[in-house]
């Protein structure tokens, strides 16, 4: 079974970081740059989503976009198999 995770490209940066979708399957890794970026202080690495905070009011829409990207990737990957 494939695993789909979101990671920040440079989580140590103090400015905005690009978000990658990492797909792991059969000891292979595929990295896809999502086109989304976020300041690391608003990123929850455990949930792999933006933090629910008033300092980042667009977090609901941001997280919906990430969920959509993951859903589409899972669909394409399943079709590929």
């Amino acid at each position: 079974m494939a695993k789909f995770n979101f990671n920040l490209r440079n989580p140590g940066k103090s400015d905005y970081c690009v978000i990658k979708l990492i797909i792991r399957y059969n000891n292979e890794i595929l990295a896809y740059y999502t086109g989304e970026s976020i300041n690391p202080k608003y990123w929850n690495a455990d949930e792999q989503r933006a933090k629910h905070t008033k300092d980042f009011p667009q977090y609901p829409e941001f997280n919906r976009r990430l969920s959509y990207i993951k859903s589409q990737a899972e669909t394409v990957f399943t079709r590929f198999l």
Side-chain angles (χ1 to χ4, degrees):
M1 186 68 181
K3 288 192 171 202
F4 296 78
N5 298 318
F6 288 107
N7 294 334
L8 298 183
R9 182 173 181 202
N10 296 316
K13 277 180 66 175
S14 61
D15 202 6
Y16 280 77
C17 295
V18 175
I19 297 175
K20 299 185 296 185
L21 173 62
I22 306 296
I23 303 168
R24 291 179 175 87
Y25 182 75
N26 284 345
N27 296 322
E28 298 290 330
I29 297 175
L30 174 65
Y32 171 75
Y33 289 93
T34 64
E36 300 292 337
S37 61
I38 191 170
N39 189 312
K41 70 181 178 180
Y42 301 130
W43 183 251
N44 182 329
D46 293 332
E47 293 182 17
Q48 300 174 13
R49 297 290 189 275
K51 292 179 182 176
H52 301 190
T53 176
K54 65 179 180 173
D55 294 332
F56 187 60
Q58 58 272 40
Y59 76 85
E61 177 59 30
F62 189 88
N63 288 338
R64 277 192 292 274
R65 287 194 308 269
L66 291 180
S67 293
Y68 177 77
I69 290 168
K70 181 179 178 184
S71 172
Q72 292 298 304
E74 289 171 338
T75 299
V76 169
F77 193 81
T78 301
R79 288 181 184 165
F80 172 74
L81 292 179

